[in-house]
Each structure stands twice: as structure tokens, then as C-alpha cells.
């Protein structure tokens, strides 16, 4: 069960970092910013992925129109999920095994 708290913490950190990277790229035009997840040796770029339409699931799947206040980056949804999972780990009811 302690693994849930650890994994939630790791997930939260990665989701928060994705929000940071997307913010830097979107609002600072990406000038002189190299994200840790942009790895040129293998031609991988997470910052390019964040700018794809799939980077905002709510509008991509048509749940909200583009530009709507709920049209948030996937990282925001991840932060919400991992915070919920972390809190649920500590506040959740414990089930008893009866054998």
C-alpha cells in the first residue's frame, strides 16, 4: 500500500513538470529553454508533444470547446488525479479480510 503514495508522488511530480514545460514554451516562446525531457540523442521532444492537439484531452475529445476554461493541459488533469490518489491512500477506508 505504501507503493500507492510513492507512485502518486512521482506521478504528481512528472505532471507538475509537464505543466511547467508547457507554460515556459507557450508563454516564453521557448527561447533558451531546454526541457529535461527533450533528448536530442534519440530525437525525442516532450515539448513538441505538449503542443499537439492531443495535449488538451478535454477539447480533443470534444468534451469542451477549444479555449474554454476547462480546456486545460493534460498535466493539470494528471496533477488533480495524483493528488486525489495520494489523499485517497491516506483517507481511504481499510477493508478487512475475512477468511
Amino acid at each position: 500500500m505504501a507503493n500507492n503514495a510513492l507512485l502518486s508522488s512521482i506521478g504528481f511530480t512528472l505532471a507538475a513538470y509537464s505543466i511547467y514545460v508547457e507554460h515556459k514554451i507557450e508563454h516564453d516562446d521557448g527561447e533558451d529553454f531546454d526541457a529535461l525531457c527533450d533528448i536530442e540523442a534519440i530525437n525525442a521532444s516532450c515539448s513538441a508533444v505538449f503542443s499537439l492537439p492531443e495535449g488538451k484531452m478535454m477539447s480533443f475529445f470534444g468534451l469542451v470547446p477549444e479555449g474554454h476554461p476547462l480546456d486545460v493541459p493534460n498535466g493539470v488533469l494528471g496533477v488533480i488525479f495524483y493528488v486525489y490518489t495520494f489523499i485517497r491512500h491516506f483517507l481511504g477506508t481499510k477493508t478487512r479480510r475475512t477468511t
Side-chain angles (χ1 to χ4, degrees):
M1 282 300 192
N3 288 339
N4 286 345
L6 176 65
L7 292 175
S8 295
S9 299
I10 293 170
F12 172 82
T13 303
L14 293 174
Y17 184 70
S18 76
I19 295 169
Y20 171 75
V21 169
E22 187 166 0
H23 177 76
K24 290 293 277 186
I25 291 167
E26 203 170 286
H27 296 293
D28 297 342
D29 296 327
E31 295 177 14
D32 299 326
F33 177 72
D34 292 323
L36 294 174
C37 50
D38 289 342
I39 306 168
E40 291 182 27
I42 59 172
N43 211 16
S45 174
C46 66
S47 53
V49 172
F50 294 151
S51 63
L52 293 174
E54 291 87 346
K56 294 186 176 182
M57 275 196 307
M58 300 291 277
S59 63
F60 181 73
F61 287 116
L63 300 173
V64 297
E66 271 188 48
H68 190 275
L70 292 177
D71 186 24
V72 294
N74 293 344
V76 173
L77 300 175
V79 164
I80 293 168
F81 172 76
Y82 289 116
V83 166
Y84 168 78
T85 304
F86 187 81
I87 291 170
R88 176 95 169 123
H89 171 73
F90 290 106
L91 298 180
T93 58
K94 305 291 182 195
T95 57
R96 289 186 178 194
R97 284 187 167 175
T98 55
T99 54

